[in-house]
């Protein structure tokens, strides 16, 4: 990812996770918002069969995404795009905005689970 | 001697020399005796009828406490091990998802390895663990399937690849994790990928040349029998995978195969019965012609694959001995069908909790959907028992012809399930459903080793196993039931009551079926070990994370002092 697209990705991340910066005051990271719904659908299509439903798995064979540091966005993008250890690369079938949506979904799920709720 | 005379003498000799060298390895006749012969294991299921029963009793409940490992060999991967080894001519043949091994059965020494290499992107198509379940052997060759959809023949002596054919394209969502079947000289293979928006199939191959003989599509196209059970082109993405092995009756010359769930899971997206998904079929091995079928769940919405093993048995039903096949289905019912005609003889609940149906209509053979399922089909989320992991998952059961009981690793797991609408996208999961599994609760087992009467579903005994086991079982005339646990122990239970008699820690989790055999007059038990597979990926049970990865095979025999060996 070049610097410019990285910048815009970070900006979109900020918008996704801050929850108060979009015009109209809508919070895209709240459950049921379009951004989370998009990330949720992508997660079910691409990630769920290894990382578990709603990111809950045993951590025995695949990474427990509930433990992924929410401030390591670039690491997330690199792992999804290029693969990491046993994880296959997905950069040829997921575009930047889809990977951003997945990151937003992951952070939202983490926040929801910390608060003791599910989406 | 004239040159003509010399030529006449030489021609027969030349003709003999030109004939191919005699092949070693089991003949078709030997394969059909595998359930009786104890010094070889030549078939997946320890017999073409998949009973996983052994008449051996040298290891029995009186001495099993003296069972000790004879040797262990590493299998050079940390992926899950669901493979069943074969034994022939003093060699164990072992399969992993990325290699085939021949091991000296006396020492574990590696004789050869046939290594596979995959495009790493292909691995993202695998739904439920990077595994391979087994091999077929015949006439000096081993046959296997690869994760990237090749069917291949390997020389049993040298490990060289003899032929390798591509069956389907992984980029469309297909993978292969199953075991082929050899039936009347035809090699038959299935496919995984039914939840990836694909169309399932079975293929028949010439084992000598690799020539494809036929293909049987498991979803019927317009104009074909059953084609009117699909709307539009939904059959093209309709699932019906064939990812577990079939069985074969040489007397009837019928192959039996369990066909998988329809896709996507949301039944509202594909109105109709969706033949031949969730169906048990009987077919001719030479042509793939279907002789009879029984659809277990028409228009299934809960991913209740009907791929589980089809066990052959003779059971007394209504006062008459009947040749039957038995299937403990994922949906929580155990089915008994006439092996020649497909007539449904019994369908009985074998799990404690079942909410999706109120029973099976024995006149039509169709399930009676519960109010809960009808509500769910309107889009409302419900709790479903059993979950789509099933009342029993892939792990093959065993059957004792003495007790007439099944021995299986049963599951008591629910799921939250809500059908949704998602668009098909090539090569990605196509479930169209939101689902999740519960966290484990202390004191509430999610799994039981069960002795089940196939005619009634009665749990004659059950022993809690937590985390639940997902490897196969082995029943023996020593009154023992062996199974592996995901925490790593190979365990032996008393066949009469399910009491634990012995266990040994193999180093990683077990999700494979054990086998037993004799070698040099001693009885052995062999098991592959290696955590992985569906439950370790999907169940949010932290105990799985405490199990070390690392594949191996260990064989056991009764203890003898070192000086006596």
């Amino acid at each position: 990812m070049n610097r410019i697209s990285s910048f815009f990705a970070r900006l979109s991340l900020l918008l996704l996770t801050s929850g108060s910066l979009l015009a109209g005051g809508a919070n895209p990271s709240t459950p049921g918002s379009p951004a989370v719904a998009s990330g949720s659908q992508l997660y079910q299509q691409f990630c769920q069969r290894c990382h578990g439903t709603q990111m809950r798995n045993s951590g025995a064979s695949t990474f427990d995404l509930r433990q992924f540091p929410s401030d390591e966005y670039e690491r997330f993008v690199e792992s999804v795009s290029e693969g990491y250890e046993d994880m296959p690369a997905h950069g040829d079938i997921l575009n930047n905005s889809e990977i951003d949506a997945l990151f937003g979904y992951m952070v939202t799920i983490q926040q929801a689970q910390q608060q003791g709720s599910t989406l | 001697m004239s040159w003509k005379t010399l030529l006449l003498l030489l021609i027969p000799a030349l003709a003999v020399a030109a004939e191919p060298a005699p092949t070693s390895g089991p003949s078709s006749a030997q394969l059909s005796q595998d359930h009786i012969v104890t010094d070889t294991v030549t078939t997946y299921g320890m017999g073409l009828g998949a009973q996983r029963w052994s008449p051996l009793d040298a290891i029995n409940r009186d001495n099993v406490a003296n069972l000790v490992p004879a040797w262990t060999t590493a299998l050079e991967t940390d992926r899950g091990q669901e493979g069943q080894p074969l034994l022939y001519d003093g060699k164990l043949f072992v399969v992993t998802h990325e290699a085939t091994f021949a091991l000296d059965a006396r020492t574990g020494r590696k004789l050869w390895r046939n290594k596979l290499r995959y495009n790493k992107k292909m691995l993202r198509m695998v739904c439920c663990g990077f595994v391979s379940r087994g091999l077929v052997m015949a006439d000096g060759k081993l046959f296997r399937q690869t994760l990237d959809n090749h069917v291949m023949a390997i020389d049993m002596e040298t490990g060289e690849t003899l032929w390798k054919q591509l069956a389907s394209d992984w980029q469309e969502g297909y993978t292969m994790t199953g075991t082929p079947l050899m039936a009347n000289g035809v090699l038959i293979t299935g496919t995984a990928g039914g939840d990836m928006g694909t169309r399932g199939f079975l293929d028949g191959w010439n084992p000598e040349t690799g020539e494809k003989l036929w293909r049987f599509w498991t979803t019927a196209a317009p104009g074909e029998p059953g084609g009117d059970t699909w709307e539009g082109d939904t059959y093209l993405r309709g699932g019906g995978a064939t990812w577990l092995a079939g069985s074969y009756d040489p007397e009837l010359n019928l192959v039996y195969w369990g066909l998988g769930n329809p896709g996507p899971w949301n039944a509202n997206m594909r109105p109709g019965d969706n033949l031949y998904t969730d169906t048990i079929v009987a077919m001719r091995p030479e042509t793939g012609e279907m002789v009879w079928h029984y659809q277990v769940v028409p228009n299934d919405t809960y991913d209740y694959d009907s791929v589980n093993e089809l066990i052959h048995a003779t059971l007394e039903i209504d006062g008459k001995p009947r040749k039957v096949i038995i299937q403990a289905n994922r949906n929580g019912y155990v089915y008994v069908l006439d092996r020649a005609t497909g007539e449904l003889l019994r369908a009985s609940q074998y799990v404690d909790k079942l909410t999706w149906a109120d029973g099976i209509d024995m006149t039509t053979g169709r399930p009676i959907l519960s109010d809960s399922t009808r509500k769910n089909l309107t889009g409302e989320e419900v709790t479903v028992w059993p979950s789509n992991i099933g009342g029993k998952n892939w792990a093959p059961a065993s059957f004792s012809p003495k007790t007439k009981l099944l021995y299986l690793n049963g599951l008591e797991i629910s799921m939250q399930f809500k059908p949704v609408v998602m668009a098909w996208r090539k090569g990605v999961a196509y479930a169209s459903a939101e689902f999740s599994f519960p966290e484990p609760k202390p004191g509430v087992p999610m799994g039981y080793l069960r002795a089940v009467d196939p005619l009634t579903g009665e749990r004659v005994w059950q022993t809690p196993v937590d985390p639940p086991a997902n490897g196969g079982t082995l029943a023996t005339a020593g009154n023992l039931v062996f199974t592996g646990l995901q925490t790593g122990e190979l365990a032996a239970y008393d066949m009469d009551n399910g009491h634990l008699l012995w266990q040994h820690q193999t180093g990683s989790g077990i999700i494979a079926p054990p086998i037993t055999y004799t070698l040099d007059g001693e009885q052995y038990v062999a098991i592959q070990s290696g955590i992985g597979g569906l439950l370790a990926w999907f169940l949010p049970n932290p105990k799985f994370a405490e199990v070390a990865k690392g594949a191996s095979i260990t064989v056991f025999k009764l203890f003898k002092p070192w000086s006596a060996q």
Side-chain angles (χ1 to χ4, degrees):
Chain A
M1 181 181 288
N2 62 41
R3 284 188 173 186
I4 294 174
S5 59
S6 176
F7 167 77
F8 283 107
R10 284 177 172 280
L11 179 61
S12 66
L13 167 66
L14 186 63
L15 294 172
L16 275 168
T17 54
S18 66
S20 60
L21 299 179
L22 286 184
N27 183 349
S29 65
T30 52
S33 73
V36 171
S38 168
S40 172
Q41 181 161 331
L42 289 165
Y43 180 84
Q44 290 174 56
Q45 290 177 309
F46 290 89
C47 317
Q48 179 169 273
R49 59 184 176 272
C50 291
H51 292 285
T53 59
Q54 297 182 332
M55 292 176 8
R56 293 184 304 147
N57 77 354
S58 68
S61 301
T62 53
F63 194 91
D64 183 347
L65 288 172
R66 293 170 294 186
Q67 308 301 321
F68 194 97
S70 59
D71 59 350
E72 295 195 19
Y73 166 76
E74 299 226 344
R75 176 184 157 195
F76 181 88
V77 172
E78 188 175 323
S79 296
V80 175
S81 302
E82 300 170 23
Y84 179 73
E85 293 185 343
D86 288 339
M87 177 170 163
H90 288 70
D92 59 323
I93 50 173
L94 287 170
N95 60 36
N96 290 346
S97 64
E98 288 175 321
I99 296 174
D100 286 347
L102 283 168
F103 187 78
Y105 171 76
M106 181 190 75
V107 172
T108 308
I109 289 280
Q110 288 178 342
Q111 291 172 345
Q113 291 181 345
Q114 284 166 6
Q115 293 162 10
S117 63
T118 58
L119 294 184
Chain B
M1 185 182 295
S2 72
W3 67 271
K4 284 184 179 178
T5 308
L6 181 64
L7 196 60
L8 285 171
L9 287 171
L10 279 175
I11 282 173
L14 289 171
V16 169
E19 284 180 1
T23 53
S24 58
S27 64
S28 296
Q30 286 176 290
L31 296 183
S32 67
Q33 298 301 306
D34 193 39
H35 61 298
I36 301 169
V37 176
T38 58
D39 59 359
T40 58
V41 179
T42 59
T43 61
Y44 183 80
M46 296 184 64
L48 292 171
Q51 286 190 345
R52 296 188 180 277
W53 155 263
S54 173
L56 292 173
D57 62 1
I59 299 169
N60 54 58
R61 63 180 162 206
D62 295 327
N63 62 18
V64 70
N66 298 323
L67 205 57
V68 293
W71 53 259
T72 297
T73 294
L75 296 176
E76 305 176 0
T77 177
D78 61 6
R79 293 297 190 178
Q81 297 300 299
E82 294 188 357
Q84 182 219 290
L86 299 178
L87 175 80
Y88 194 78
D89 194 24
K91 303 182 186 74
L92 274 170
F93 299 96
V94 180
V95 65
T96 73
H97 77 289
E98 60 182 7
T100 310
F101 296 87
L103 306 177
D104 183 323
R106 293 177 177 84
T107 64
R109 185 171 59 91
K110 185 167 71 178
L111 302 174
W112 54 254
R113 180 190 70 165
N114 183 299
K115 173 78 173 167
L116 301 167
R117 287 176 177 78
Y118 297 126
N119 180 328
K120 195 172 177 183
K121 288 176 183 170
M122 181 277 302
L123 297 175
R124 66 191 181 209
M125 298 297 169
V126 182
C127 83
C128 310
F130 302 156
V131 300
S132 189
R133 297 189 176 84
L135 297 158
V136 162
M137 62 165 62
D139 300 324
K141 300 182 186 66
L142 296 167
F143 303 93
R144 68 163 294 166
Q145 299 170 267
T146 70
L147 276 183
D148 60 357
N149 306 307
H150 288 88
V151 179
M152 60 189 292
I154 300 170
D155 187 298
M156 283 173 63
E157 278 301 314
T158 66
E160 290 176 25
T161 300
L162 299 173
W163 57 257
K164 190 173 182 180
Q165 296 281 39
L166 184 66
S168 55
D169 183 357
W170 64 262
Q171 298 197 61
E172 294 181 9
Y174 290 107
T175 49
M176 286 185 167
T177 57
T179 308
L181 176 73
M182 186 69 74
N184 201 19
V186 176
L187 181 71
I188 303 174
T189 57
T191 184
D195 306 318
M196 301 289 285
T198 64
R199 184 185 185 197
F201 60 83
L202 290 166
D203 284 333
W205 308 86
N206 181 329
E208 287 300 315
T209 64
E211 175 196 4
K212 189 192 286 185
L213 303 175
W214 51 261
R215 168 161 289 188
F216 173 83
W217 290 105
T218 59
T219 63
E224 296 175 351
D228 58 352
T229 63
W230 298 89
E231 277 194 2
D233 64 355
T234 51
Y235 72 99
L236 292 172
R237 299 176 292 280
T242 48
W243 54 278
L244 290 180
S247 55
Y248 176 57
D249 184 334
E251 290 182 11
L252 294 170
N253 192 31
L254 285 175
V255 164
Y256 307 95
W257 216 288
L259 312 184
N261 58 282
W265 297 350
N266 181 353
N268 295 320
M269 294 176 67
R270 40 171 176 73
D273 280 357
N274 311 137
L275 286 169
Y276 295 91
T277 61
D278 278 355
T279 297
I280 298 167
V281 296
M283 58 191 354
R284 296 292 177 208
E286 302 85 356
T287 60
E289 173 203 0
M290 189 165 62
V291 175
W292 59 255
H293 75 275
Y294 168 67
Q295 188 173 36
V296 181
V297 188
N299 194 230
D300 173 24
T301 202
Y302 292 136
D303 183 26
Y304 285 146
D305 258 338
S306 290
V307 294
N308 280 357
E309 68 284 355
L310 298 161
I311 297 174
H312 300 200
T314 299
L315 298 177
E316 186 168 307
I317 297 176
D318 300 329
K320 295 178 183 171
R322 301 287 294 261
K323 289 185 175 180
V324 302
I325 51 176
I326 303 167
Q327 186 189 57
N329 194 280
R330 285 248 291 270
N331 69 14
Y333 290 96
V334 55
Y335 294 83
V336 179
L337 305 175
D338 183 285
R339 211 151 73 225
T341 66
E343 178 190 359
L344 178 64
L345 300 171
R346 294 286 188 277
S348 312
Q349 181 178 332
Y350 71 95
V351 294
D352 291 344
K353 291 185 184 174
L354 191 154
T355 62
W356 71 276
D358 291 332
I360 307 298
D361 182 328
M362 292 302 290
T363 305
T364 65
R366 300 171 74 94
I368 303 161
L369 296 185
S370 66
D371 290 342
S372 168
T373 295
R374 294 185 189 283
K375 186 167 69 176
N376 192 217
L377 287 169
T378 68
E380 191 173 330
E381 180 177 307
V382 300
T383 302
V384 184
W385 295 82
S387 75
N388 55 358
I389 296 174
K392 182 183 85 66
N393 198 253
W394 84 276
S398 54
F399 174 83
S400 164
K402 284 187 168 180
T403 65
K404 308 289 187 188
L405 298 177
L406 292 172
Y407 302 92
L408 58 85
N409 280 309
L411 303 170
E412 294 289 340
I413 302 172
S414 66
M415 66 175 171
Q416 294 302 117
F417 192 91
K418 181 182 179 183
V420 298
V421 175
M422 288 187 193
W424 175 83
R425 187 168 165 176
K426 179 184 171 183
V428 302
Y430 188 45
S432 289
E434 293 173 355
F435 65 106
S436 62
F437 306 107
E439 304 274 351
K441 293 178 183 171
V444 184
M446 287 184 168
Y448 294 88
L449 177 65
R450 285 174 161 152
V452 173
D453 184 338
L455 294 177
T456 65
E458 178 193 359
R459 277 75 79 203
V460 175
W461 54 255
Q462 59 181 17
T463 299
V465 179
D466 202 40
N470 203 28
T473 67
L474 165 69
T476 78
N479 287 312
L480 296 171
V481 179
F482 288 90
T483 197
L485 310 183
Q486 296 206 70
T487 43
E489 300 87 352
L490 179 66
Y493 298 84
D494 190 320
M495 183 176 277
D496 288 345
N497 52 36
H499 292 169
L500 178 65
L501 298 175
W502 167 90
Q503 63 181 22
H504 176 88
Q505 175 56 250
T506 60
S508 185
I510 296 176
I511 53 171
I515 61 169
T516 189
Y517 51 86
T518 54
L519 182 67
D520 303 327
E522 291 183 275
Q523 185 181 354
Y524 287 78
V525 177
I527 187 74
Q528 286 177 237
S529 173
I531 189 77
L534 179 75
L535 296 191
W537 278 16
F538 266 88
L539 276 191
N541 189 327
K543 286 186 181 175
F544 291 131
E546 299 168 1
V547 179
K549 297 180 194 175
S552 63
I553 178 171
T554 299
V555 305
F556 299 85
K557 65 176 184 174
L558 293 172
F559 174 77
K560 275 185 183 177
W562 175 252
S563 57
Q565 295 193 39

